[in-house]
Amino acid sequence: MTIDVATGIARILKQEGVAWVSTFPVCRVNNALGREGVPMLMMRDDRYAVAVADAFSRITAGKRTGVCTFQGGVNAAGMQYAYAGLAQAYEDGSPVLCITDGVPIGSSGNSQFDVASSMKTVSKWFGYLDKPERVPEFMRRAFTMLRSGRPGPVILAVPNATGTYDDTADPYIPVKGWKSAPDPVDVRAAVTLLLQAQNPLIYAGEGVIYADAADDLKALAELVNAPVITTLKAKGALPENHPLFVGVRGDQVAHYLTKSDLILAVGSSLSPGRFSHGIPEAAKKTIIHCNVDELHINKMYPTAQAVIGDARLTLQALLKEVSERTSGAGRPAGDVAAEVKAARDAGLAKYREVMASNEKPINPYRVYGDLMQVLDPHNSFVTHESGNTRDQLSTVYDTLMPRGFLGWGNVSTLGFSLAAAIAAKKAFPARASVAVTGEAGLGYMLGNLEVLLREKLGVTVVHISNGGFAGYGPGFWGPGHDPFTHAVLGPNEVDMAKVLGALGLHTERVSEPAEVKPALQRALAANESGRPAYIEYLCCQYPVYGQWVGRSME
Ligand SMILES: Cc1ncc(C[n+]2csc(CCOP(=O)(O)OP(=O)(O)O)c2C)c(N)n1
Ligand SMILES: [Mg+2]
């Protein structure tokens, strides 16, 4: 049957199980999506169209692909605005499918902005659909890349959405993802090093979550009796009440990174300098680097032994090898768990204290502590913003399942938390979904709050309202490093709860520590009937949190 390109794409998306597409108009594929009954989640700008789809892929660990559309072509206004979202998805390695208009054949070179070269810098693959007949081929390639290897965004540019082709000539069959298992020689060599080490440390990255390998990580940690740290993006890969879990950041993490003589990195790029740790005295340590992609091997630190392959197959192979070598006994238990507990208790003591604080303005840690008490850790989603909310929550927020908390941002683009909370609600409607933000993140998301109301998305935005960019200004530590550019209108000048209440959200403004918890409970109750909520907590500026090791304050 002869069909047009846009219809072909819409039908293939349905075949691939795509339940909805986020968008900001216009894109020439959208009307076909509408006609074919693919629901569209219309965001209020192109960056958020990308970010919601990106976050959906992250939260479902790539099992359900987030798809978005935005304007491209010669008038690439949408694409230029979407670029921020694309760059972030690429930076963080998120398998999101982005569909846009391509520059029509015969119109290249018309604009200053070079669409193809800019898109290539932020994608795993930029496909330019130069012939209608190639729709099935391009979609097969796209979904293969989205589901195999190192995750990353795929961008498909459609220059002629109304071109036609015969869809029976190359009927589309949904593709699966393919995985590779590591070389057994490398597995044996890695285990030899691992069993020789005095103080091995497991350094788990987000690849563990994408590979659905949380249980395998736990099993290996227990067998080799090694402490575990996770990256920001892998937060939750090991239940954080596990006796071998050290932390994401903080003094106890620094202690183990320093003390370890061997680092077994799994599913992490080991790329320091942004929102991750450097490895102190790396040249004196043995680094075993397990990764799906050779890109990161020997990247910043010398790799003693690489193990290339899917994180789950790798962990299973390591587990089997350790088990065979030790007749199932693993490494002797010693007092590793007791030491981890002591280090965690010492490292977290000062935060636990303020989590119970009754001071006014409210200490932000009091909000996080109460949030942990109110939410069911097995049935909720929390995410942070760029700024102190990231730094503080990733220091203390106990996460008991993968994606119970979404840590994000190798570079952290303000405003992503709302996209993440929306995506979490779409992925797991029964879970409470909470975005914790400061005023900067809130500023980015304001226009997009309308989407919550229109789509009846019961999401709660928790605002740590402190009248400025706490990490930059005078704040807690004296002069601060950006004293000229940190103050904004704060709670004394603007009543945000009133502003957003007028928009239609359930809102509260809370200044009493005792009211932190009940206000959260009321917000979550409102969410249950599909009403979004905004809670403004009048907080002090308190830029205190666990540091990244080997990284200067910035
Ligand atoms: C798109 C973007 N631009 C700039 C930054 C740099 N930046 C990071 S946090 C921040 C301010 C955070 O202040 P606020 O939201 O009030 O949070 P607080 O630290 O006070 O809790 C800025 C400007 C960024 N992360 N993203
Ligand atoms: Mg602030």
Side-chain angles (χ1 to χ4, degrees):
M1 196 178 131
T2 299
I3 59 169
D4 63 80
V5 166
T7 303
I9 290 172
R11 289 185 185 166
I12 290 172
L13 291 178
K14 286 201 289 188
Q15 277 185 273
E16 288 290 4
V18 173
W20 54 275
V21 169
S22 59
T23 190
F24 187 77
V26 292
C27 171
R28 294 200 173 93
V29 172
N30 282 357
N31 287 346
L33 294 174
R35 281 193 303 270
E36 292 296 316
V38 179
M40 277 176 279
L41 177 62
M42 189 173 75
M43 300 304 296
R44 294 298 296 267
D45 67 63
D46 325 75
R47 177 270 172 124
Y48 271 92
V50 177
V52 166
D54 162 353
F56 188 75
S57 289
R58 296 186 201 218
I59 289 161
T60 62
K63 298 223 168 27
R64 286 183 274 168
T65 301
V67 182
C68 63
T69 64
F70 50 82
Q71 180 185 40
V74 175
N75 178 15
M79 177 183 281
Q80 290 178 3
Y81 210 78
Y83 191 87
L86 294 166
Q88 194 194 2
Y90 187 58
E91 181 66 48
D92 274 7
S94 172
V96 54
L97 176 59
C98 309
I99 301 172
T100 184
D101 311 307
V103 175
I105 293 168
S107 295
S108 66
N110 265 351
S111 56
Q112 290 296 108
F113 178 68
D114 183 345
V115 168
S117 29
S118 71
M119 292 296 103
K120 282 178 187 168
T121 64
V122 289
S123 60
K124 184 169 175 179
W125 182 53
F126 172 69
Y128 179 79
L129 190 70
D130 57 0
K131 209 172 172 206
E133 287 75 6
R134 299 188 77 184
V135 166
E137 174 206 333
F138 271 47
M139 294 301 277
R140 268 196 301 268
R141 280 171 80 169
F143 276 99
T144 302
M145 272 185 255
L146 289 161
R147 292 175 183 152
S148 311
R150 181 166 190 266
V154 166
I155 306 172
L156 190 63
V158 182
N160 180 11
T162 54
T164 56
Y165 68 104
D166 175 6
D167 71 344
T168 60
D170 177 10
Y172 190 83
I173 299 166
V175 295
K176 66 189 284 286
W178 280 273
K179 301 181 197 321
S180 54
D183 185 340
V185 174
D186 293 331
V187 171
R188 286 197 289 274
V191 168
T192 299
L193 294 171
L194 185 59
L195 293 177
Q196 280 166 3
Q198 295 300 309
N199 293 301
L201 175 67
I202 298 178
Y203 189 117
E206 202 181 22
V208 171
I209 293 178
Y210 277 111
D212 207 4
D215 289 345
D216 308 279
L217 173 70
K218 182 162 158 273
L220 184 71
E222 288 171 358
L223 189 66
V224 298
N225 198 33
V228 178
I229 65 172
T230 65
T231 62
L232 175 63
K233 291 198 295 151
K235 188 167 163 55
L238 188 72
E240 295 189 353
N241 56 1
H242 191 280
L244 292 170
F245 177 70
V246 175
V248 173
R249 58 199 294 179
D251 292 349
Q252 75 278 22
V253 176
H255 166 75
Y256 277 101
L257 271 169
T258 307
K259 169 182 165 168
S260 63
D261 59 346
L262 179 141
I263 291 186
L264 176 68
V266 187
S268 161
S269 65
L270 284 186
S271 307
R274 294 170 294 181
F275 299 101
S276 59
H277 299 289
I279 297 179
E281 300 206 88
K284 291 191 189 149
K285 297 187 197 296
T286 302
I287 298 178
I288 301 173
H289 202 164
C290 309
N291 207 284
V292 74
D293 190 328
E294 77 285 357
L295 179 72
H296 305 298
I297 307 302
N298 278 322
K299 187 178 184 181
M300 309 288 283
Y301 305 115
T303 303
Q305 179 62 51
V307 186
I308 307 243
D310 171 77
R312 185 168 186 203
L313 298 176
T314 299
L315 285 164
Q316 288 173 349
L318 292 170
L319 189 79
K320 187 160 173 281
E321 184 68 21
V322 172
S323 187
E324 280 170 13
R325 294 247 202 124
T326 60
S327 310
R331 259 168 42 91
D335 52 6
V336 178
E339 205 191 293
V340 168
K341 184 176 181 332
R344 260 178 77 76
D345 285 346
L348 290 170
K350 66 177 172 196
Y351 306 110
R352 286 177 179 158
E353 196 181 314
V354 278
M355 282 160 95
S357 159
N358 283 319
E359 67 185 285
K360 271 174 80 174
I362 300 167
N363 189 293
Y365 283 96
R366 170 69 191 252
V367 178
Y368 311 145
D370 284 8
L371 198 55
M372 274 193 247
Q373 289 177 33
V374 167
L375 291 173
D376 172 355
H378 298 286
N379 194 30
S380 59
F381 173 86
V382 172
T383 193
H384 58 85
E385 255 306 332
S386 179
N388 279 290
T389 60
R390 170 198 52 230
D391 302 322
Q392 296 168 337
L393 284 165
S394 57
T395 304
V396 299
Y397 193 84
D398 284 335
T399 307
L400 301 193
M401 64 175 182
R403 300 319 196 201
F405 182 96
L406 184 73
W408 50 268
N410 282 342
V411 297
S412 49
T413 317
L414 280 161
F416 189 75
S417 70
L418 179 68
I422 289 174
K425 209 25 141 194
K426 297 290 283 182
F428 302 105
R431 289 185 193 167
S433 179
V434 178
V436 184
T437 183
E439 19 286 308
L442 185 67
Y444 276 76
M445 65 180 75
L446 279 177
N448 281 275
L449 293 174
E450 180 266 345
V451 179
L452 300 177
L453 292 157
R454 178 164 35 87
E455 293 283 336
K456 300 190 172 39
L457 291 164
V459 160
T460 288
V461 175
V462 166
H463 179 191
I464 303 297
S465 178
N466 57 21
F469 305 157
Y472 295 114
F476 192 69
W477 297 115
H481 72 48
D482 284 289
F484 304 106
T485 52
H486 98 286
V488 293
L489 295 188
N492 295 334
E493 295 90 11
V494 183
D495 187 336
M496 262 300 164
K498 251 193 200 152
V499 173
L500 297 179
L503 195 62
L505 282 85
H506 164 90
T507 66
E508 293 195 39
R509 162 175 258 233
V510 178
S511 55
E512 291 297 326
E515 277 302 305
V516 172
K517 205 190 282 185
L520 272 173
Q521 283 161 334
R522 288 189 289 269
L524 296 173
N527 287 169
E528 273 173 28
S529 56
R531 188 165 184 214
Y534 163 84
I535 312 281
E536 180 181 21
Y537 288 109
L538 307 193
C539 289
C540 61
Q541 296 200 1
Y542 192 75
V544 182
Y545 42 81
Q547 295 303 313
W548 298 119
V549 176
R551 181 174 178 275
S552 61
M553 295 264 289
E554 196 202 294

